[in-house]
Amino acid sequence: MRILTISFVVILISLGAGCSNEQEISGSKTSIPTTKIETTSTILTSPKTTNSPKPSAAPATEPLEQRIRSKADQVLNILKNKDMIKLAEYIHPDLGVRFSPYSFIDTEHNLVFKADQIKAMKSDTTLYTWGKYDGSGEPIKLIFEKYFNQFIYDHDYSKAKEIAYDHIIGKGTMKNNVQEVYKDAHFVEYHFSGFDSMYEGNDWKSLRIIFSQKDNEWYIVGIEHDQWTI
């Protein structure tokens, strides 16, 4: 009986020791290696706003006088080159263009041509009556080429000493009725005050290019030659 008691005590002691070991194991600190995690923060910034220049305003409408003068210069250059095909593009589509040899526009006898007719005028050999000669009153009967050389581009008007807009420079004894015949029109005059001093200015010459409007565009309605008259 004593032996059993001792054995029982030994077993209890062994069990206590085991529990103590288990507690030590369970209570021991286990160091877990840590990994340092670097976090990268991204800062979203709004793109820099710069005070970009405002779009420039649309250019102002070109002044009418400037438009007419510019167009007249174009026509003058066309006349200088005798380019009838190009000239036709500038002629009023409804009214055509009237050719006047002097300052008084004769609406009954001065000839009017449409754009399609002008295209063929350079080679036209038809003898036209353009009006009457100053002084003699004889009819001006010429083919277009001769009329052109005598009553349109008889001088190099691209080198005119004076140029005027809606103003008559050359004045003689003959009435100038350009502003009566073409009431809503505008014109540019190219003027030479004279060529030979012996004539004391009586050999002056002018060429007027007259424009009328259609659909916000300006077209030629008249080409008027002018000079000193008796």
Side-chain angles (χ1 to χ4, degrees), residues 42-200:
T42 303
I43 301 175
L44 297 177
T45 58
S46 301
K48 291 183 179 180
T49 57
T50 58
N51 294 326
S52 55
K54 295 180 180 179
S56 57
T61 303
E62 186 178 18
L64 179 59
E65 179 177 345
Q66 187 176 337
R67 287 181 62 189
I68 299 297
R69 281 180 177 271
S70 176
K71 186 147 288 191
D73 287 344
Q74 295 171 32
V75 172
L76 194 68
N77 188 59
I78 291 170
L79 292 174
K80 181 176 181 177
N81 295 322
K82 296 184 178 181
D83 189 346
M84 297 299 107
I85 302 296
K86 192 68 176 176
L87 181 65
E89 297 177 9
Y90 289 77
I91 293 173
H92 197 288
D94 300 328
L95 304 177
V97 57
R98 177 185 285 111
F99 294 99
S100 302
Y102 301 108
S103 61
F104 184 80
I105 300 170
D106 188 340
T107 56
E108 291 185 14
H109 299 99
N110 292 167
L111 300 182
V112 177
F113 295 90
K114 294 297 182 69
D116 288 342
Q117 294 174 292
I118 289 295
K119 292 178 182 179
M121 291 301 287
K122 194 172 182 179
S123 58
D124 189 355
T125 57
T126 304
L127 194 66
Y128 294 100
T129 300
W130 304 88
K132 296 180 181 180
Y133 283 106
D134 170 61
S136 68
E138 293 295 320
I140 303 174
K141 291 186 176 182
L142 299 168
I143 63 173
F144 178 76
E145 183 180 6
K146 289 187 176 181
Y147 178 85
F148 184 95
N149 294 332
Q150 187 175 343
F151 290 106
I152 298 180
Y153 214 80
D154 54 334
H155 291 283
D156 188 359
Y157 289 99
S158 66
K159 298 179 180 178
K161 302 300 182 182
E162 297 178 74
I163 303 173
Y165 171 78
D166 281 354
H167 173 71
I168 298 170
I169 304 174
K171 296 179 181 179
T173 57
M174 186 179 291
K175 178 182 178 181
N176 190 312
N177 62 342
V178 61
Q179 292 169 320
E180 296 176 18
V181 175
Y182 303 105
K183 294 181 179 179
D184 298 321
H186 296 279
F187 66 90
V188 176
E189 177 173 343
Y190 299 86
H191 178 77
F192 287 106
S193 58
F195 302 93
D196 194 326
S197 59
M198 69 176 291
Y199 294 110
E200 299 179 345

